[in-house]
């Protein structure tokens, strides 16, 4: 008998009909003789709606209470799903994150899983039940509080369950047929990828491809879990995300895909004295806010003034805190002013074959130039090139780059559900 972990995202369980459809799919896996553990997200856009509600009550919701609120979403879907399965004559039991033994650190809103103790899940399985676990949530032993794993975190729940229970398969069911060469909502000609290495998927997820949550890919890489990302609306084969074994020969496409991220802002510290220690000083202050800095660019100083500008990108939601921290230490750093720009978009071109192919950046920059799109920042890693553009040209940028690298397919990709929110 195999053990299968299945994760269903919000768009797959958006209403009562969808929940019944998913229940049938889970029962089918059970009927084929498998033990089945399910991680489920909140219905449709529930999490966003709960967030909106919280912000109507206060602009700065207390992190502990926000986690209490948001975890209610998954509690609704897990109970409904278990009911639907039971009504089909199969035993099913739902568990919250803490009941499932999803132990995390205490970081509300972005907790990391530190241990998984699925004792209750194992005994439910031993008794022949289908196990349904609320995605996205955990429990901290020290504070005794409920935590959430960050937006999109149900993917991590599924991967962590698969690792802890030593599952044979971890299937991520969503509203598209798998991982595509770009978001099919933006690039209708995007092609489905059959197999992708976790290394490339990690860079795509970091670049904003929300089809898989970056921490889930990291977790899968660390624990050797193979993922199968597929549609919950049909039985087509999806995309396998795998970790090549040492020495395994991998066919590496030059370019795996293009991702875009609209969630970042840019801060520029203008007129910084161009002397040793200033970058250290600025980023020590920024570091104390725990902000997640992404790209950093320092301009060449104008010789006459001896002053330079330092720009960096970070999540929009963290900009305010960082601006306040820098403003508080203005005299100490000795800069002239701060600029805040939240109308940027980031494009990431990813491919393991870049390592051995010159000319990829030239082709990328030429494609953007020919489309009249200005590049504001550039950063590279071994298998990724990222550029920042104006927010309103990012979708065009993704489409022209996708075409320029010959990624366009012959048919239109299907998006089965979801609002893309
Ligand atoms: P779920 O609710 O199932 O977790 P998400 O909305 O989090 O679903 O993720 C699926 C969505 O990710 C797709 O509908 C698609 O718009 C988006 N997406 C972004 N980049 C990609 C990509 N490269 N391949 C497939 N989907 C992508
Ligand atoms: N419901 C959570 C969210 O919308 C977790 C998830 O869907 O993965 O972010
Ligand atoms: Mg998701």
């Amino acid at each position: 008998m195999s053990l299968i972990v299945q994760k269903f995202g919000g768009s797959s369980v958006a209403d009562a009909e969808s929940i019944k459809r998913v229940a049938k799919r889970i029962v089918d896996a059970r009927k084929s003789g498998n033990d089945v553990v399910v991680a489920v997200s909140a219905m449709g856009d529930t999490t966003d709606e709960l967030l909106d509600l919280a912000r109507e009550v206060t602009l700065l919701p207390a992190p502990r209470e926000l986690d209490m609120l948001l975890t209610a979403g998954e509690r609704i879907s897990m109970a409904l799903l278990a009911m639907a399965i039971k009504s089909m004559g199969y035993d099913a039991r739902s568990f919250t994150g803490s009941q499932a033994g999803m132990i995390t650190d205490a970081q509300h809103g972005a907790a990391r899983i530190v241990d998984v103790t699925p004792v209750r899940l194992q005994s439910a399985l031993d008794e022949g039940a289908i196990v349904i676990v609320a995605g996205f949530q955990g429990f901290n032993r020290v504070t005794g509080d409920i935590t959430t794993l960050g937006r999109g975190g149900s993917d991590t729940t599924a991967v962590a369950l698969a690792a802890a229970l030593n599952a044979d398969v971890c299937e991520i069911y969503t509203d598209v047929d798998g991982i595509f060469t770009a978001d099919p909502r933006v690039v209708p000609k995007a092609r489905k990828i059959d197999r992708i290495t976790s290394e490339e998927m990690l860079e795509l997820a970091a670049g904003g491809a929300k089809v898989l949550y970056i921490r889930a890919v990291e977790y899968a890489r660390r624990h050797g879990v193979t993922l199968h990302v597929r549609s919950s609306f049909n039985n087509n084969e999806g995309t396998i995300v795998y970790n090549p074994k040492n020495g395994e020969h991998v066919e590496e496409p030059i370019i795996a895909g293009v991702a875009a991220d609209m969630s970042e802002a840019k801060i520029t510290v203008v007129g910084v004295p161009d002397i040793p220690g200033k970058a250290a000083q600025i980023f020590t202050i920024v570091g104390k806010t725990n902000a997640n800095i992404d790209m950093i660019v320092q301009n060449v100083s104008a010789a006459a003034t001896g002053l330079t500008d330092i720009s960096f990108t970070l999540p929009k939601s963290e900009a305010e805190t960082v601006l306040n921290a820098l403003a508080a230490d203005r005299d100490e750093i000795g800069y002239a002013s701060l600029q805040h720009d939240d109308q940027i978009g980031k494009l990431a071109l990813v491919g393991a074959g870049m390592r051995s192919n010159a000319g990829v950046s030239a082709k990328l920059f030429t494609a953007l130039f020919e489309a009249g799109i200005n590049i504001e920042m550039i950063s590279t890693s071994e298998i990724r090139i990222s550029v920042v553009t104006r927010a309103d040209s990012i979708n065009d940028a993704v489409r022209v780059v996708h075409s320029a690298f010959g990624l366009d397919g012959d048919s239109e990709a299907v998006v089965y559900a979801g609002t893309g929110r």
Side-chain angles (χ1 to χ4, degrees), residues 97-98 100-105 112-119 137-141 149 157 160-161 164 219 222-223:
S98 52
M102 212 45 80
I103 310 300
T104 71
D105 63 16
R112 279 185 190 272
I113 298 171
V114 294
D115 195 9
V116 184
T117 52
V119 187
Q137 52 183 261
F139 173 77
N140 180 259
R141 281 188 177 130
L149 309 179
T157 305
L161 288 172
Y219 204 102
R222 230 180 9 256
H223 292 82

Side-chain angles (χ1 to χ4, degrees), residues 217-232:
V217 186
E218 274 168 1
Y219 204 102
R221 227 169 122 75
R222 230 180 9 256
H223 292 82
V225 178
T226 299
L227 306 176
H228 184 183
V229 181
R230 58 195 307 193
S231 166
S232 70

Side-chain angles (χ1 to χ4, degrees), residues 112-384:
R112 279 185 190 272
I113 298 171
V114 294
D115 195 9
V116 184
T117 52
V119 187
R120 293 195 63 184
L121 309 189
Q122 193 59 61
S123 41
L125 287 172
D126 293 344
E127 289 164 24
I130 293 170
V131 167
I132 315 287
V133 179
F136 172 61
Q137 52 183 261
F139 173 77
N140 180 259
R141 281 188 177 130
V142 179
T143 60
D145 282 331
I146 304 294
T147 55
T148 60
L149 309 179
R151 296 306 307 275
S154 296
D155 294 341
T156 323
T157 305
V159 175
L161 288 172
L165 295 164
N166 206 5
D168 298 274
V169 192
C170 182
E171 296 178 324
I172 308 285
Y173 285 92
T174 184
D175 56 4
V176 288
D177 280 337
I179 296 158
F180 284 72
T181 47
D183 185 342
R185 286 179 208 270
V186 177
V187 185
K189 287 263 166 95
R191 272 190 288 122
K192 199 203 83 189
I193 301 169
D194 291 334
R195 287 169 66 80
I196 186 169
T197 61
S198 56
E199 183 192 29
E200 287 168 311
M201 189 57 229
L202 206 55
E203 293 282 3
L204 282 176
K210 69 166 185 167
V211 61
L212 276 181
Y213 183 43
I214 181 164
R215 285 194 181 170
V217 186
E218 274 168 1
Y219 204 102
R221 227 169 122 75
R222 230 180 9 256
H223 292 82
V225 178
T226 299
L227 306 176
H228 184 183
V229 181
R230 58 195 307 193
S231 166
S232 70
F233 295 81
N234 60 44
N235 283 317
N236 299 347
E237 283 292 303
T239 303
I240 302 290
V241 185
Y242 70 107
N243 309 292
K245 298 194 179 56
N246 275 346
E248 183 183 341
H249 174 72
V250 184
E251 279 290 328
E252 286 178 335
I254 298 178
I255 301 301
V258 192
D261 188 351
M262 305 286 286
S263 68
E264 295 201 340
K266 178 170 81 175
I267 289 177
T268 303
V269 189
V270 181
V272 181
D274 195 4
I275 52 172
K278 284 297 155 189
Q281 205 178 5
I282 290 173
F283 287 100
T284 301
I285 293 164
V286 172
K288 284 193 184 135
T289 67
N290 279 328
N292 292 293
I293 302 305
D294 184 17
M295 295 167 132
I296 301 176
V297 171
Q298 176 173 339
N299 292 339
V300 180
S301 65
T305 60
L307 298 176
T308 181
D309 297 343
I310 297 181
S311 298
F312 53 91
T313 63
L314 77 180
K316 278 182 186 159
S317 56
E318 294 172 357
E320 181 86 22
T321 316
V322 169
L323 285 167
N324 288 339
L326 288 171
D329 286 337
R330 178 174 171 177
D331 292 343
E332 214 177 304
I333 307 170
Y335 63 82
S337 64
L338 292 174
Q339 283 173 2
H340 173 214
D341 179 356
D342 64 0
Q343 289 304 307
I344 61 164
K346 188 183 74 180
L347 174 150
L349 181 69
V350 175
M354 268 185 210
R355 285 194 187 98
S356 48
N357 272 273
V360 173
S361 30
K363 196 167 178 174
L364 167 66
F365 302 152
T366 305
L368 293 172
F369 161 66
E370 283 172 359
I373 296 168
N374 189 40
I375 301 172
E376 300 181 14
M377 291 170 103
I378 302 171
S379 84
T380 60
S381 80
E382 226 190 338
I383 67 162
R384 174 186 45 77

